């Protein structure tokens, strides 16, 4: 029998899980993971930046914010045909999900959004799960995306509500929740997680997981990101996130949201194969990969390297056909 899904967690309960002795925590998370998922299957996803840089927001971690002086080059919205080519290549390389990201603060009802709608339709026609991350959007915009075939929408919380203003001042935490609610109302699955290494406390990490785990429906996908330190951003000198902090976050997320796909996202480029194996053991069952060896605008392992790691660890890409009803991103 599967571990029950709960939505009534308290912060104290989640904190007690997070604080467990590491090996006990990993064992419990691995047990829950095997209760809900095939432990040998990892969903391979490709993330493409379809519009890069020039964002008016001030997210302290982000090299795409226009106000920071980074080496990232601004790139206008890619041609639809080019995006479809990337999606086809991703499918050939074993990805079952293709995510398109645009460095916008919010979606605007204009020709660029019309082009994104065409991209969604084109990728959907390839038989891939289509995901977008485009910033804030209204319920009506979410409905347009859903009608075009969008499967998932990514909108991370980033951090806890209480620490949020330390990282971003150009939008409020409640606005992130509002976008997630609009996505839900439109019948699109939710991809939402956060970043560790922003200077937050362990209590902030637990608080972020609490927000996600007490939603009426858990996010089908929960990305756990380690801060990618981009030169020119306010957080460029933050220390590297310790492996065991990532393992604790992944394991705790797995236990409190057992049916969700937990993504080992940003930060893999600084992890050894052995360190990534610990994250998979703790309950991570998805990665981003691709032939461009970038995750948006930061370095990321390439597809050939990841496939070799899968072979070494006895893992294989998750396919849509083998996916159980509870796993969505």
């Amino acid at each position: 029998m599967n571990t029950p899904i709960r939505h009534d967690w308290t912060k104290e309960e989640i904190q007690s899980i997070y604080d467990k002795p590491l090996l006990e925590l990993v064992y419990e998370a691995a047990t829950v993971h095997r209760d809900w998922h095939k432990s040998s299957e990892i969903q391979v996803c490709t993330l493409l930046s379809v519009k890069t840089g020039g964002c008016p927001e001030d997210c302290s971690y982000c090299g795409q914010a226009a106000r920071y002086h980074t080496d990232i080059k601004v790139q206008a919205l890619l041609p639809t045909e080019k995006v479809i080519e990337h999606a086809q290549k991703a499918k050939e390389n074993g990805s079952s999900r293709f995510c398109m990201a645009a460095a916008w603060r919010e979606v605007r009802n204009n020709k660029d959004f019309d082009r994104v709608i065409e991209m969604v339709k084109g990728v959907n026609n390839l038989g891939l799960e289509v995901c977008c991350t485009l910033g804030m959007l209204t319920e009506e915009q979410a409905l347009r995306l859903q009608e075009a075939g969008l499967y998932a929408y990514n909108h991370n919380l980033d951090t806890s509500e209480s620490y949020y203003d330390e990282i971003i001042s150009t939008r409020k935490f409640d606005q992130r929740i509002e976008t997630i609610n609009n996505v839900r109302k439109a019948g699109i699955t939710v991809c939402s997680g956060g970043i560790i290494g922003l200077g937050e406390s362990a209590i902030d990490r637990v608080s972020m997981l609490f927000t996600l785990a007490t939603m009426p429906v858990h996010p089908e996908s929960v990305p756990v990101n380690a801060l990618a330190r981009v030169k020119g951003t306010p957080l460029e000198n933050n220390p590297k996130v310790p492996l065991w902090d990532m393992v604790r976050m992944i394991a705790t997320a797995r236990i409190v949201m057992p049916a969700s796909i937990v993504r080992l996202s940003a930060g893999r480029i600084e992890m050894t194969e052995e360190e990534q194996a610990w994250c998979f053991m703790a309950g991570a069952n998805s990665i981003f990969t691709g032939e461009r060896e970038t995750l948006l605008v930061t370095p990321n392992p390439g597809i050939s390297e990841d496939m070799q790691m899968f072979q070494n660890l006895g893992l294989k890409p998750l396919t849509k056909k083998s996916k159980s009803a509870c796993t969505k991103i």
Side-chain angles (χ1 to χ4, degrees), residues 35-56:
D35 206 12
W36 281 91
H37 309 269
K38 292 183 178 179
S39 60
S40 63
E41 293 185 338
I42 305 293
Q43 186 177 39
V44 178
C45 311
T46 296
L47 176 62
L48 176 68
S49 179
V50 298
K51 185 270 179 184
T52 305
C55 182

Side-chain angles (χ1 to χ4, degrees), residues 6-80:
R6 291 179 51 191
H7 303 271
D8 60 348
W9 295 98
T10 65
K11 287 185 183 179
E12 292 74 20
E13 286 177 308
I14 298 176
Q15 187 73 59
S16 68
I17 293 169
Y18 183 90
D19 290 337
K20 284 188 176 186
L22 183 68
L23 295 184
E24 181 181 337
L25 173 62
V26 171
Y27 178 80
E28 182 178 345
T31 302
V32 171
H33 183 65
R34 283 155 178 76
D35 206 12
W36 281 91
H37 309 269
K38 292 183 178 179
S39 60
S40 63
E41 293 185 338
I42 305 293
Q43 186 177 39
V44 178
C45 311
T46 296
L47 176 62
L48 176 68
S49 179
V50 298
K51 185 270 179 184
T52 305
C55 182
E57 301 239 55
D58 68 350
C59 306
S60 300
Y61 55 82
C62 186
Q64 299 198 65
R67 67 192 67 204
Y68 305 138
H69 300 290
T70 69
D71 294 330
I72 294 167
K73 295 180 180 179
V74 175
Q75 169 196 280
L77 192 65
L78 291 175
T80 302

